[in-house]
Amino acid sequence: MTDVDGDHPAPAPPGQSAVSSQEPTRTPTARPFRQVDVFTTTPLLGNPVAVVLDATGLDTATMQAFARWTNLSETTFVLPPTSPSADYRVRIFTASTELPFAGHPTLGTCHAWLETQADAASRTRFRQECAAGLIPLRRTPDGLAFAAPPPRRTGPVDPGLLAGLATMLGIPPDEIVDAAWADNGPGWIAVLLDSAEAVLALRPRDVDGSIGVVGPWPPGSPTAFEVRAFLGGGGVTVEDPVTGSLNASVAQWLIATGRAHPPYTVSQGAALHRAGRVRITVDPDGTVWVAGATITCLSGTALL
């Protein structure tokens, strides 16, 4: 499966590139730039996103080349909105492709954009325009939050695929408590194990697609669930540190099946020496919100 909406890169096949290696012919301009750590209050413990705050005049090839150069899971480019309802427009790139939406880049981009707004302190609600449409954001006590987009695919996983998931995760099939499609763009399949410890013990291999794994911590623990996100293709398996889109769709699944009772906090990233924290809340109308702290780690200009 290709990555179309997650907080992670989709590995390109060996020897191939998603874009031409030909350099764009244009005069570089110094553009305001931020690198924001997302889902953490402590620098270097979350999931970073690179943000170019004025991408006016940049073509797609240049954006993709810069995203490939940053070598982060995502790089975003802020543009004037085309919708009168939006505060800004953003294009989101992995190292190999453009995404219609992604979770931690949405929070990180909004954080960086707010740093450039004179009236930022007085504002509490925002609207981001991206290829997936208009994404509502708001301030919360737990940081900026985005409204979870509706899933594109839900429902049970075919038994044959379930056996394959167990093999990729390196566990017996009977260790999977439940599994379901939780696809809000990247093709996520959510897998529930019986404990957070079992999630942290995973050593996956040859992952093909986008697999999110979740397990509960004991009652009274600082966080309710541990989450890990595995992505693969072409013989390459990667793990994303802290994943907004996955946590959004997993929350919708767990809440709908009665396994989670919001508000609650998720931990993710321990296996990668990170300490991500994702806060899940639900409005009376059923809208799931995904919140996390954001902090600028780098600030300056990028020549593009």
Side-chain angles (χ1 to χ4, degrees):
M1 305 172 191
T2 57
D3 173 12
V4 295
D5 175 24
D7 307 306
H8 49 268
Q16 295 186 20
S17 172
V19 297
S20 169
S21 61
Q22 182 179 357
E23 293 295 327
T25 56
R26 61 182 311 278
T27 302
T29 300
R31 301 171 185 272
F33 173 82
R34 303 285 192 278
Q35 191 159 307
V36 181
D37 215 4
V38 181
F39 295 121
T40 182
T41 57
T42 305
L44 312 183
L45 293 184
N47 198 0
V49 59
V51 184
V52 176
L53 282 159
D54 180 8
T56 304
L58 290 181
D59 58 23
T60 298
T62 302
M63 294 182 188
Q64 183 66 81
F66 187 67
R68 186 169 61 250
W69 179 81
T70 67
N71 200 34
L72 295 176
S73 56
E74 279 96 11
T75 299
T76 69
F77 300 85
V78 178
L79 295 156
T82 61
S83 168
S85 300
D87 292 289
Y88 61 90
R89 181 165 66 97
V90 65
R91 295 182 68 180
I92 305 169
F93 289 80
T94 71
S96 60
T97 192
E98 184 171 5
L99 309 179
F101 169 79
H104 96 272
T106 291
L107 298 184
T109 300
C110 188
H111 169 98
W113 174 79
L114 282 169
E115 290 188 333
T116 70
Q117 304 301 302
D119 63 344
S122 64
R123 302 183 60 184
T124 59
R125 291 180 177 268
F126 320 97
R127 197 171 292 271
Q128 171 184 286
E129 180 184 353
C130 58
L134 297 178
I135 306 298
L137 293 108
R138 66 188 185 190
R139 294 187 191 271
T140 77
D142 304 292
L144 292 169
F146 68 85
R152 297 182 177 184
R153 182 177 182 182
T154 60
V157 175
D158 177 85
L161 178 55
L162 189 63
L165 293 173
T167 298
M168 287 186 278
L169 293 173
I171 58 176
D174 60 7
E175 290 191 14
I176 295 178
V177 176
D178 197 5
W181 285 96
D183 180 15
N184 54 11
W188 288 117
I189 299 175
V191 175
L192 177 67
L193 303 186
D194 66 359
S195 70
E197 290 88 349
V199 173
L200 290 172
L202 291 173
R203 298 295 181 267
R205 55 183 181 271
D206 298 327
V207 169
D208 182 16
S210 305
I211 305 174
V213 189
V214 58
W217 285 105
S221 299
T223 58
F225 296 94
E226 188 73 28
V227 167
R228 295 177 72 182
F230 303 110
L231 312 123
V236 178
T237 298
V238 296
E239 180 171 357
D240 191 59
V242 200
T243 317
S245 63
L246 173 62
N247 276 286
S249 61
V250 165
Q252 290 166 322
W253 176 50
L254 294 176
I255 293 167
T257 56
R259 294 186 171 101
H261 306 283
Y264 64 88
T265 302
V266 169
S267 48
Q268 187 181 352
L272 299 176
H273 307 288
R274 312 290 178 89
R277 295 294 183 268
V278 183
R279 185 68 169 171
I280 302 296
T281 59
V282 179
D283 280 352
D285 66 2
T287 302
V288 173
W289 290 83
V290 180
T294 49
I295 185 168
T296 298
C297 293
L298 295 174
S299 179
T301 57
L303 287 175
L304 289 170

